[in-house]
Amino acid sequence: MEQAQETLLREFEEKIECGFAIEPKDKMPAGYRKHLIRQMSQHAHSEVIGMQPEGNWVTRAPSLRAKQILLAKIQDEGGHGLYLYSAAETLGVSRDELIEQLHTGKAKYSNIFNYPTLSWADIGAIGWLVDGAAIVNQVSLQRTSYGPYSRAMVRICKEESFHQRQGYEIMAKMMAGTADQKAMAQDAMNRWWWPSLMMFGPHDSDSPHTGDAFRWKIKRHSNDELRQKFIDKTVQQAEVIGLTIPDKDLKWNEAKQCYDHGEINWEEFYRVIGGDGPCNKQRMEHHIRVHNEGAWVREAAEAYRAKQQYSKNA
Amino acid sequence: MTQQQALYNYALRLGDNSLILSARLSEWCSNAPFLEEDLALTNMALDLIGRAQAMLKYAGEVEGKGRTEDDLAYRRGERDYYNHLIMELPNGDFAYTMVRQLFVSTYELFFFEELQKSTDATLAAIAAKTLKEVKYHHLHAKDWVIRLGDGTAESNARVQKAVNALWMYTGEMFEMDHADTMLLKEGIAVNTDNLKLGWIQMVTQILALANIDLPADGYMQTGGRKGIHTEYLGHILSEMQYLQRAYPDATW
Ligand SMILES: [Fe+2]
Ligand SMILES: [Fe+2]
Ligand SMILES: [Fe+2]
């Protein structure tokens, strides 16, 4: 038995080594399945919880066009949540179970959405920085070893780069605007910069899941590599529109041909993950409340479906 | 009232109806009973913003004072808004929103079918585009009202309650004022009197499929066309217009 397991694992890893994609019906080690469910559901929940901070500005968007763009963006994020839930379902777990895990705290979502959106510039900052950071991560996941996940990422990435441009456009417009607008934009930058860097997770030296995820090609680049990529592309974009990066230690490293950055506040990172971020409770209570308030609708739809089925069969 | 003023009012009112209903529908964003429905409601809110944009832009052009669709949406007070009251009522529960969607989209199905034939080319073109969207909104609302009405005892009771509460706001959609009659003569406006029978027949039929009783005839609320609104509109506008009002020199 043990030996069969080992053979299975060896064959599986050889397949991955050769660059084959793993599909839902393929044999896979329990650890691989578990790792993917955890990662994909966390990703799906992030898309969905992320609708809340942006949704906070839907009724206050400052022009018809701005409102259209924001609503369409939030709708895209909801759509990403749907693809990812469906992709996770191919691993034999239902959306209901995944939502249950979210509500009991067993499943996580991206920490970034535990921060509040306090001004319209935050909508720009989220699109530009948060979606910008997500893209760096997700581009590398387009080649992840699990087929349905990698295909979902290809679709999602196209839309995310659109979001990033639209967010940047909001920031650029505000930086070209009145003194109040500039101050709002810089304030948003100051509040969102560090949490965006934290989106890539702990330093490689402290990252617990790294080993298996790399060998199984779920993860293709390390946290620090991805974070560096994000910083390097974003610093110049900030300069172009006159925003200051709130890091006094940030400077170009000629030898390494990339930016060195200051120390990330890991204490804050772990505190927010641990549940004491500014909005953790609000986000979760909102999701649970809406889910519970919708229960009668889902029950009614199910009852109606069952009746139709019954009269069809009768 | 000149014909130009009448046309301005007409386009403005159509724009306001779309804008205010879109404001309400967009409040469902991240609040719907499940994800697919969240996306569907957002989709309809987006259709309505697009329609509002087109109508308000045209109203501004007709007025000829250089006001844009955003000026009209974000810099007008509640007494100068002319939407029907039904659009501004708070969302209530999902049944309430769906019953409103049914009443409004059924009306719009008939209305835009006629407005397509308007002698005003701009209104006719907007109507033709709108009709495609409205057909989907109607199907969606009808489907839900039937499912909920014929679902569980609870969902049936919620739909019945919503129908009873919203009924008195349906009469306003069929009112004809001076601007309407003036434009009707030119073949620009729709004679909403002629839409009543079709509307009531279709609604009756759908509510019957949903096991819902039609309310008795009673008083119909009115006022939107004169800019006399419910207490709710002011709050929609104060949120919507906040940035434009707080930073009047800014562009976004
Ligand atoms: Fe995202
Ligand atoms: Fe997304
Ligand atoms: Fe996005």
Side-chain angles (χ1 to χ4, degrees):
Chain A
M1 185 68 199
E2 190 124 314
Q3 196 158 10
Q5 291 266 339
E6 265 170 39
T7 316
L8 181 70
L9 183 64
R10 201 178 54 245
E11 280 170 7
F12 177 79
E13 290 190 346
E14 272 167 16
K15 203 168 157 187
I16 296 244
E17 187 53 42
C18 296
F20 284 106
I22 306 302
E23 294 300 332
K25 292 212 167 65
D26 293 348
K27 284 189 182 134
M28 61 184 91
Y32 179 81
R33 186 185 297 272
K34 204 174 139 204
H35 187 108
L36 274 171
I37 290 176
R38 188 176 56 74
Q39 183 170 334
M40 289 162 75
S41 74
Q42 172 167 341
H43 195 161
H45 297 324
S46 301
E47 300 282 0
V48 172
I49 298 294
M51 296 165 78
Q52 289 182 42
E54 296 191 281
N56 183 39
W57 280 88
V58 161
T59 58
R60 292 175 292 173
S63 72
L64 295 173
R65 178 173 177 269
K67 182 161 177 168
Q68 266 173 330
I69 291 174
L70 177 59
L71 264 181
K73 182 205 192 262
I74 300 174
Q75 192 187 31
D76 285 348
E77 306 301 5
H80 298 169
L82 276 183
Y83 307 155
L84 287 162
Y85 284 130
S86 310
E89 281 179 330
T90 63
L91 292 165
V93 58
S94 72
R95 203 204 301 183
D96 282 344
E97 288 172 83
L98 297 175
I99 290 174
E100 170 76 19
Q101 289 172 3
L102 175 69
H103 289 176
T104 56
K106 204 182 148 215
K108 300 277 182 204
Y109 57 89
S110 176
N111 235 0
I112 193 79
F113 300 121
N114 289 319
Y115 290 85
T117 49
L118 303 177
S119 84
W120 175 250
D122 290 32
I123 297 306
I126 288 186
W128 174 41
L129 299 174
V130 175
D131 287 66
I135 292 166
V136 172
N137 213 353
Q138 290 167 7
V139 161
S140 89
L141 285 171
Q142 289 180 341
R143 291 169 51 244
T144 194
S145 59
Y146 188 55
Y149 192 24
S150 111
R151 288 189 289 275
M153 280 303 126
V154 171
R155 264 176 99 173
I156 288 174
C157 275
K158 282 190 197 127
E159 290 176 354
E160 296 295 6
S161 51
F162 213 60
H163 300 163
Q164 201 247 351
R165 279 204 299 279
Q166 288 166 337
Y168 187 62
E169 190 201 307
I170 291 177
M171 294 305 256
K173 245 187 183 162
M174 292 184 76
M175 288 306 288
T178 65
D180 283 328
Q181 285 177 299
K182 284 181 191 162
M184 260 185 243
Q186 184 62 53
D187 175 58
M189 178 80 195
N190 296 348
R191 285 181 288 107
W192 289 94
W193 174 253
W194 291 104
S196 300
L197 297 193
M198 293 176 199
M199 282 174 71
F200 297 96
H203 284 310
D204 297 345
S205 46
D206 308 319
S207 188
H209 302 287
T210 302
D212 283 347
F214 270 96
R215 202 170 59 255
W216 292 336
K217 294 191 180 168
I218 295 174
K219 206 169 156 69
R220 320 258 344 199
H221 297 278
S222 78
N223 294 354
D224 285 331
E225 281 167 22
L226 294 169
R227 182 164 25 237
Q228 189 65 52
K229 233 182 223 172
F230 171 70
I231 293 172
D232 292 341
K233 76 167 185 172
T234 309
V235 169
Q236 279 154 9
Q237 294 171 353
E239 275 169 8
V240 169
I241 57 175
L243 280 167
T244 306
I245 306 269
D247 177 359
K248 60 178 171 27
D249 297 320
L250 186 88
K251 61 171 185 298
W252 179 250
N253 184 323
E254 191 57 41
K256 292 201 302 194
Q257 287 293 300
C258 65
Y259 285 95
D260 289 334
H261 63 86
E263 193 48 47
I264 291 169
N265 184 346
W266 295 113
E267 200 189 313
E268 173 181 325
F269 174 77
Y270 288 111
R271 174 168 54 76
V272 178
I273 284 191
D276 289 330
C279 301
N280 299 53
K281 290 188 178 64
Q282 183 187 340
R283 301 288 183 246
M284 208 36 59
E285 275 169 14
H286 180 100
H287 198 276
I288 291 170
R289 179 180 56 75
V290 168
H291 187 74
N292 291 342
E293 280 174 6
W296 71 269
V297 178
R298 299 189 298 273
E299 280 158 22
E302 183 49 36
Y304 180 76
R305 199 193 57 79
K307 278 188 210 175
Q308 295 301 103
Q309 199 66 38
Y310 181 78
S311 54
K312 215 183 278 172
N313 295 343
Chain B
M1 187 184 279
T2 65
Q3 189 180 314
Q4 183 198 13
Q5 282 166 334
L7 185 55
Y8 166 71
N9 284 352
Y10 199 74
L12 194 64
R13 191 203 306 145
L14 288 171
D16 289 350
N17 278 323
S18 316
L19 183 63
I20 299 304
L21 186 57
S22 81
R24 284 306 188 201
L25 285 180
S26 68
E27 290 172 14
W28 276 104
C29 182
S30 87
N31 284 298
F34 51 94
L35 204 43
E36 286 83 348
E37 202 47 40
D38 212 296
L39 305 190
L41 288 162
T42 304
N43 229 0
M44 293 188 278
L46 280 167
D47 285 345
L48 285 157
I49 298 176
R51 194 199 308 170
Q53 228 169 1
M55 286 294 183
L56 294 179
K57 180 169 182 279
Y58 187 47
E61 284 165 12
V62 170
E63 189 195 31
K65 292 182 184 163
R67 290 206 278 181
T68 66
E69 58 271 35
D70 278 344
D71 294 333
L72 288 170
Y74 291 89
R75 304 284 174 104
R76 234 178 341 134
E78 52 266 53
R79 287 288 277 108
D80 297 318
Y81 261 81
Y82 299 108
N83 59 277
H84 302 139
L85 305 180
I86 194 169
M87 310 298 182
E88 69 203 42
L89 300 173
N91 285 335
D93 62 10
F94 187 70
Y96 191 92
T97 291
M98 281 306 122
V99 170
R100 167 167 55 198
Q101 285 300 103
L102 178 70
F103 288 167
V104 172
S105 67
T106 303
Y107 170 83
E108 289 181 338
L109 213 50
F110 291 105
F111 181 87
F112 287 107
E113 180 77 42
E114 288 307 306
L115 193 66
Q116 274 190 117
K117 303 170 201 154
S118 173
T119 54
D120 183 292
T122 308
L123 289 180
I126 299 172
K129 179 173 184 284
T130 298
L131 191 60
K132 292 190 194 112
E133 297 165 353
V134 166
K135 280 181 181 162
Y136 169 73
H137 298 191
H138 176 75
L139 220 60
H140 177 265
K142 175 183 163 185
D143 196 48
W144 268 116
V145 168
I146 293 173
R147 274 206 268 180
L148 296 176
D150 194 18
T152 62
E154 180 183 3
S155 65
N156 175 277
R158 285 177 186 261
V159 173
Q160 185 67 63
K161 194 174 159 208
V163 166
N164 296 347
L166 283 162
W167 193 252
M168 66 170 161
Y169 293 97
T170 56
E172 200 182 18
M173 298 190 289
F174 302 96
E175 287 175 12
M176 294 282 283
D177 62 16
H178 188 52
D180 293 79
T181 46
M182 195 168 172
L183 296 175
L184 187 59
K185 283 194 201 108
E186 306 299 319
I188 296 173
V190 173
N191 188 344
T192 50
D193 248 351
N194 295 344
L195 309 183
K196 253 187 218 166
L197 190 64
W199 183 86
I200 195 89
Q201 279 173 348
M202 196 180 275
V203 166
T204 306
Q205 199 188 5
I206 292 167
L207 292 184
L209 287 171
N211 300 326
I212 295 294
D213 299 327
L214 209 61
D217 277 336
Y219 179 72
M220 288 289 168
Q221 294 292 338
T222 180
R225 279 163 194 257
K226 297 192 179 70
I228 308 286
H229 289 274
T230 65
E231 291 181 344
Y232 302 114
L233 182 67
H235 294 282
I236 295 178
L237 296 185
S238 54
E239 266 190 74
M240 188 174 94
Q241 298 178 340
Y242 148 64
L243 283 168
Q244 291 256 358
R245 300 281 200 183
Y247 305 97
D249 302 329
T251 51
W252 304 91

